[in-house]
Amino acid sequence: MDTITIKDVAKICGVGVSTVSRAINNKPGINEETKNKILTVIKENNYIPNNSARNLKRSETNNVAVLVKGINNPFFSPVITELEREIEKKKYTFILQHVDENQDEIEVAIELEKEKRLKGIVFLGGYFSHSKDKLEKLTVPFVLSTVGMADKMKNMEYSSVAVDDVKESYKIVDYLCKLGHNKIAVLSATCDDESIGKLRFEGYKKALSDNNIEFNEKLVYYLQSGNDRYSMQSGYNAAKRLLEEKADCTAIFAITDLIAIGACRAILENGYSIPDDYSVAGYDGLELGRFITPSLTTIRQPVENIAKETLRILFDAIDDKEEFVHKVFAGELIVGESTKKL
Amino acid sequence: MDTITIKDVAKICGVGVSTVSRAINNKPGINEETKNKILTVIKENNYIPNNSARNLKRSETNNVAVLVKGINNPFFSPVITELEREIEKKKYTFILQHVDENQDEIEVAIELEKEKRLKGIVFLGGYFSHSKDKLEKLTVPFVLSTVGMADKMKNMEYSSVAVDDVKESYKIVDYLCKLGHNKIAVLSATCDDESIGKLRFEGYKKALSDNNIEFNEKLVYYLQSGNDRYSMQSGYNAAKRLLEEKADCTAIFAITDLIAIGACRAILENGYSIPDDYSVAGYDGLELGRFITPSLTTIRQPVENIAKETLRILFDAIDDKEEFVHKVFAGELIVGESTKKL
DNA sequence: TTGTAGGCGTTATCAA
DNA sequence: TTGATAACGCCTACAA
């Protein structure tokens, strides 16, 4: 089963390769009849163009790549679904590229841009703190979507779409305070975590302060470090420690929904009640949060809007409306059954 | 920012392209000194080889692709993680390729095989019923991992790894029967569903029959059709109908965990208790099932073993130990809090 | 140990 | 409307 090439097709049809090429690519300037004949032969012989050769030769494509860091994070599922739908609606080709946790997303992007002649790139998730030099290696427009960012990045030349992690985290902790809670524990990433964890922790502290509650280091439960620090298991472990130490709190804020779900399990498993003994709040607004019992109080990130806006900005940039936009969406406070008024 | 090629590097270094190529690819027969010099220049100028050109020219690579149908299904997350780890441990390059729900996985595979000069392919998920002709277009070894299969596929030339859906589904329904339940509803895919849904439904019927329970069509609640038929929402909707109709049952078997979770929500939301009013059982053994409350009784598919065995078979085939293997793993009955003895 | 040249399978540019 | 033919960027004989 030797692979058949465009030359073979041309030979079979008794035409030149360029004619076959025209047929494949729906280019004008070809007789309908010869075109049909060629397409028939192609079908019959199961000819499939080699993408590497195409990408090598083509000057431009309609490829848009979405690079996801942490593809098994359920938060990204609806975002990816929406991105795919929208990209294909625009007649672009959607390329989903998974980036390993310890891979450099920019390196991957630079390589992919050359390999696939990308028109644009969406970065999803992860934490971004790359030098200007490096970013300039990317020659096509790109948008950072729901990625954490270093402060020094703020005035660099790129576009982004996200919610304000500090503000939204503030919002939900403030909500807990307003419910009457003044002893609120937090399940947070370790201090060296430069990711969203840091920002959400900041919001927590700020909300306490604005509600005249003194920040208590003892109520901070750090998640294990490692790639699965934002997992259910990680939340479970942290909450378990909290319970064992009989931490003096009435509410718990987990910096992601998955962590919150793990925490809920630990609490319920130990015979405590939610929200009677502990109110629990999460962050992200996973679909899952609506289906567990008690349903989760959380901040919902508007994933559809984030996806849509990401692409609007990207396609604008592709169409040369070249300005850098930083779009910040508001999160939505979802009040579930996991929190109660004190 | 014109992209720099191997020629440019050669020119800068004052050497030939083949020498540069040798340096890049760690080929023998090159002076350490010139090699180092070349690598330095490459670093300095941020040269990155074009993958399309490489794939085009190379006769063979170490690429192994994993094609996933339904990448946002949490069941696949740990499988993918494990596959990636093992593939990289073997010094192969892991390529994750997402296959759209309405895309033909074989078409995608054939194309990708040519494009990336694949050494092997893993198909994950979906339902498989392709003609022999088509499968023969694949010239490299491949393994079907946890994919549903048509009966006619059974004696075709390929390898597979999976659990026996009928048997495992039988196992858990039988368990429900042994608990004393004899009115067991099922949340199942529609009849025309040629996927795992059909097999698991079969196991359900067989278990009833073996326990001398008459099959009652009225206790079959069909999930909406469509791509999200195995979702939480879909399970929620089906269970809601069941409750509204006050179906006469004491237990509910959902053909996937996600469906079960949705069903649990509907039940609890309507003021019923699990397992006191309804026992609920799922299928898959998602990590999530351990974290929700009540924890889910389910069949756990041994995902790590499935992943490992899939690759063992694949690499054996790549190494020319050319036999077709059909490995069937046993599922593990996980008894959670969602079921009780009657 | 190194360099030259040819070709991988396409597309794009010409001239016919 | 067509067909040669020259790239695309790289690897690999083969020759030096």
Side-chain angles (χ1 to χ4, degrees), chain A residues 51-52 84 100 111 115, chain B residues 51-52 84 100 111 115 337:
Chain A
N51 262 326
S52 289
E84 176 171 13
D100 208 87
E111 198 175 321
E115 178 177 346
Chain B
N51 261 326
S52 289
E84 176 171 15
D100 209 87
E111 199 175 320
E115 177 177 347
E337 305 153 350

Side-chain angles (χ1 to χ4, degrees), chain A residues 1-31:
Chain A
M1 183 61 211
D2 13 54
T3 163
I4 164 176
T5 77
I6 195 172
K7 274 188 192 167
D8 302 318
V9 176
K11 209 169 291 169
I12 296 173
C13 296
V15 301
V17 286
S18 35
T19 308
V20 178
S21 178
R22 276 187 272 265
I24 299 171
N25 297 297
N26 256 314
K27 297 258 169 155
I30 179 173
N31 186 303

Side-chain angles (χ1 to χ4, degrees), chain B residues 62-246:
Chain B
N62 276 325
N63 295 335
V64 170
V66 175
L67 274 70
V68 187
K69 201 146 192 177
I71 202 156
N72 46 15
N73 183 341
F75 173 71
F76 294 130
S77 291
V79 186
I80 293 171
T81 304
E82 187 68 20
L83 287 173
E84 176 171 15
R85 181 176 15 229
E86 292 288 318
I87 287 172
E88 287 175 349
K89 199 194 284 175
K90 279 268 193 178
K91 300 296 175 204
Y92 282 80
T93 302
F94 168 81
I95 296 177
L96 181 62
Q97 174 70 44
H98 143 86
V99 181
D100 209 87
E101 196 70 44
N102 37 34
Q103 244 177 334
D104 182 322
E105 53 261 65
I106 301 296
E107 304 274 358
V108 175
I110 294 172
E111 199 175 320
L112 197 65
E113 180 190 321
K114 293 190 178 178
E115 177 177 347
K116 302 275 194 178
R117 310 266 182 213
L118 300 180
K119 263 284 190 34
I121 305 173
V122 173
F123 290 96
L124 216 56
Y127 180 75
F128 228 73
S129 61
H130 299 280
S131 69
K132 192 167 178 172
D133 280 6
K134 206 161 184 185
L135 282 182
E136 278 174 351
K137 297 280 173 305
L138 287 174
T139 60
V140 297
F142 63 95
V143 180
L144 309 189
S145 194
T146 70
V147 306
M149 271 169 279
D151 284 338
K152 58 170 174 152
M153 300 286 294
K154 295 289 180 198
N155 44 14
M156 286 179 62
E157 302 188 330
Y158 68 93
S159 292
S160 71
V161 179
V163 302
D164 181 332
D165 276 297
V166 178
K167 188 169 156 192
E168 300 304 328
S169 148
Y170 177 98
K171 190 189 285 179
I172 195 160
V173 176
D174 184 61
Y175 172 75
L176 291 174
C177 296
K178 297 292 190 282
L179 287 179
H181 295 277
N182 53 25
K183 289 180 277 186
I184 304 172
V186 62
L187 309 187
S188 171
T190 49
C191 298
D192 60 320
D193 189 314
E194 284 293 320
S195 171
I196 46 165
K198 189 182 177 184
L199 304 170
R200 295 183 186 174
F201 185 44
E202 239 175 74
Y204 161 84
K205 286 199 281 192
K206 207 162 150 212
L208 290 191
S209 153
D210 284 5
N211 282 276
N212 297 311
I213 300 172
E214 203 176 339
F215 170 68
N216 180 355
E217 177 75 48
K218 281 190 181 153
L219 290 182
V220 183
Y221 283 82
Y222 292 106
L223 303 162
Q224 67 212 51
S225 56
N227 289 344
D228 57 344
R229 60 191 179 284
Y230 295 149
S231 66
M232 293 184 288
Q233 185 66 53
S234 163
Y236 177 88
N237 294 344
K240 206 158 177 190
R241 265 187 290 126
L242 181 152
L243 295 170
E244 279 164 5
E245 298 177 5
K246 298 192 185 307

Side-chain angles (χ1 to χ4, degrees), chain A residues 80-113:
Chain A
I80 294 171
T81 304
E82 186 67 21
L83 287 174
E84 176 171 13
R85 187 185 358 238
E86 291 289 317
I87 287 173
E88 287 176 349
K89 199 194 281 176
K90 278 269 194 178
K91 301 295 177 205
Y92 281 80
T93 301
F94 168 81
I95 296 177
L96 181 61
Q97 174 70 44
H98 143 86
V99 181
D100 208 87
E101 196 69 44
N102 37 34
Q103 244 177 335
D104 182 322
E105 53 262 64
I106 301 296
E107 304 274 359
V108 175
I110 295 172
E111 198 175 321
L112 198 65
E113 181 191 321

Side-chain angles (χ1 to χ4, degrees), chain B residues 325-337:
Chain B
V325 185
H326 293 272
K327 175 79 183 183
V328 176
F329 278 101
E332 180 190 0
L333 176 65
I334 305 272
V335 176
E337 305 153 350

